[in-house]
């Protein structure tokens, strides 16, 4: 498939997925939303992909919604608005369902839906000068479709503070609240991303897929209610060929078959 708004390259088992609307700071419009959904839906079944690095072309990771798109939306009927919002919700859901590791390489700014993208990444590496913000209330909007992912990532308290104020915040603060995992100077971003990729390629791909699915299932559930579910998940995973290979490799002091070095 040919994409208008995405640039995609492949390095072995690693896909580099780049938002490619630099002239509008990689802001979302209906085309970018549709293409991200289509790509994620197809990639979910790509068994040879172990890791995806999500980045933005130009000076900014993602500035949120395209103002021209927002101008068109303002004239929509309720049904058209609902359809448009549902498309955005499905985009985030499709990216969240990816079975492989998703690393966010964030620089410049991540506002609104751009900060929402960071919230669905398993790992986020941010350039130290990056500015974040859930800025929807500044436009009279609300951070709605991203809210389930953001609150799981940073908690209700931080979400309330940042959603209500719409305030911008630093990469350091983003790390403090759990939105970001590593904050490094611009010159070191790619090196840190590569370090995370290296770690991911030594882990069982099936185990990564299963644990991501497990975390979605247990989110916000009382531990006691999840006991039977998590026990069954562990028992099932122990019986997989991948787990058997991992345990054998450990006992035999060798690398498991899935292990890749960079």
């Amino acid at each position: 498939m040919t994409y208008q708004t995405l640039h995609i390259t492949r390095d072995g088992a690693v896909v580099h997925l780049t938002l490619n609307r630099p002239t509008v700071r990689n802001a979302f419009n209906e085309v970018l939303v549709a293409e991200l959904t289509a790509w994620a839906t197809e990639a979910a079944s790509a068994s040879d992909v172990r890791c995806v690095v999500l980045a933005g072309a130009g000076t900014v990771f993602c500035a949120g919604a395209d103002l021209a798109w927002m101008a068109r939306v303002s004239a929509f009927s309720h049904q058209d608005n609902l359809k448009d919002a549902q498309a955005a919700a499905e985009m985030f859901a499709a990216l969240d369902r990816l079975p492989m590791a998703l690393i966010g390489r964030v620089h410049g700014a991540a506002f609104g839906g751009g900060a929402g993208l960071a919230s669905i990444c398993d790992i986020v590496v941010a350039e130290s000068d990056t500015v974040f913000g859930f800025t929807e209330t500044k436009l009279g909007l609300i951070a709605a479709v991203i809210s389930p992912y953001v609150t799981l990532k940073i908690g209700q308290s931080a979400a309330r503070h940042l959603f209500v104020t719409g305030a911008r915040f630093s990469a350091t603060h983003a790390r403090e609240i759990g939105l970001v995992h590593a904050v490094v100077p611009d010159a070191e971003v790619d090196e840190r991303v590569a370090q995370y990729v290296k770690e991911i390629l030594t882990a069982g791909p099936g185990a990564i897929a299963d644990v991501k699915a497990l975390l979605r299932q247990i989110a916000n559930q009382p531990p006691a209610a999840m006991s039977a579910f998590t026990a069954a998940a562990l028992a099932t995973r122990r019986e997989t060929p991948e787990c058997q290979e991992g345990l054998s490799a450990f006992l035999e002091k060798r690398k498991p078959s899935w292990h890749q070095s960079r």
Side-chain angles (χ1 to χ4, degrees):
M1 179 176 177
T2 302
Y3 295 101
Q4 300 177 40
T5 63
L6 300 174
H7 179 65
I8 302 167
T9 60
R10 182 81 179 261
D11 179 15
V14 182
V15 170
H16 293 267
L17 173 67
T18 303
L19 310 180
N20 195 28
R21 304 187 73 221
T23 58
V24 291
R25 305 197 303 168
N26 299 313
F28 288 108
N29 65 1
E30 61 270 46
V31 179
L32 179 55
V33 167
E35 291 191 345
L36 275 172
T37 305
W39 176 85
T41 301
E42 182 178 355
S45 60
S47 59
D48 58 340
V49 175
R50 303 274 298 276
C51 181
V52 177
V53 178
L54 175 62
T59 59
V60 166
F61 174 66
C62 179
D66 187 325
L67 293 180
W69 181 36
M70 288 295 94
R72 292 195 298 275
V73 167
S74 66
F76 280 3
S77 67
H78 174 72
Q79 285 302 316
D80 287 340
N81 254 315
L82 184 58
K83 181 179 179 181
D84 188 78
Q86 287 172 335
E90 177 53 31
M91 178 198 72
F92 285 105
L95 289 166
D96 186 60
R97 288 193 299 263
L98 286 172
M100 64 286 292
L102 180 61
I103 300 176
R105 184 202 184 282
V106 181
H107 74 293
F111 297 142
L117 282 179
S119 74
I120 61 172
C121 291
D122 303 305
I123 301 164
V124 177
V125 178
E127 178 187 328
S128 53
D129 291 336
T130 306
V131 180
F132 293 81
F134 299 102
T135 52
E136 286 85 349
T137 54
K138 300 296 189 185
L139 300 175
L141 294 167
I142 59 173
V145 299
I146 65 173
S147 60
Y149 311 104
V150 177
T151 52
L152 282 174
K153 197 72 171 285
I154 68 175
Q156 281 277 349
S157 178
R160 284 184 177 223
H161 167 218
L162 296 170
F163 281 10
V164 168
T165 63
R168 299 183 180 194
F169 55 98
S170 68
T172 300
H173 186 62
R175 181 179 57 195
E176 290 170 351
I177 62 177
L179 182 62
V180 165
H181 304 96
V183 177
V184 295
D186 177 43
E188 299 176 20
V189 172
D190 289 328
E191 180 183 356
R192 184 60 63 89
V193 168
Q195 290 172 357
Y196 279 119
V197 169
K198 183 178 180 180
E199 288 292 338
I200 288 163
L201 293 179
T202 66
I208 289 175
D210 283 355
V211 81
K212 288 185 65 169
L214 175 69
L215 290 172
R216 287 193 297 272
Q217 289 283 338
I218 67 172
N220 289 329
Q221 298 295 322
M226 290 287 99
S227 294
F229 176 81
T230 55
L234 177 57
T236 300
R237 166 66 14 200
R238 284 174 176 170
E239 296 164 7
T240 63
E242 182 180 275
C243 183
Q244 295 294 317
E245 164 65 8
L247 293 174
S248 295
F250 177 77
L251 294 172
E252 295 166 10
K253 296 181 171 51
R254 60 175 175 81
K255 301 295 185 185
S257 60
W258 65 72
H259 188 285
Q260 294 185 17
S261 59
R262 296 290 298 217

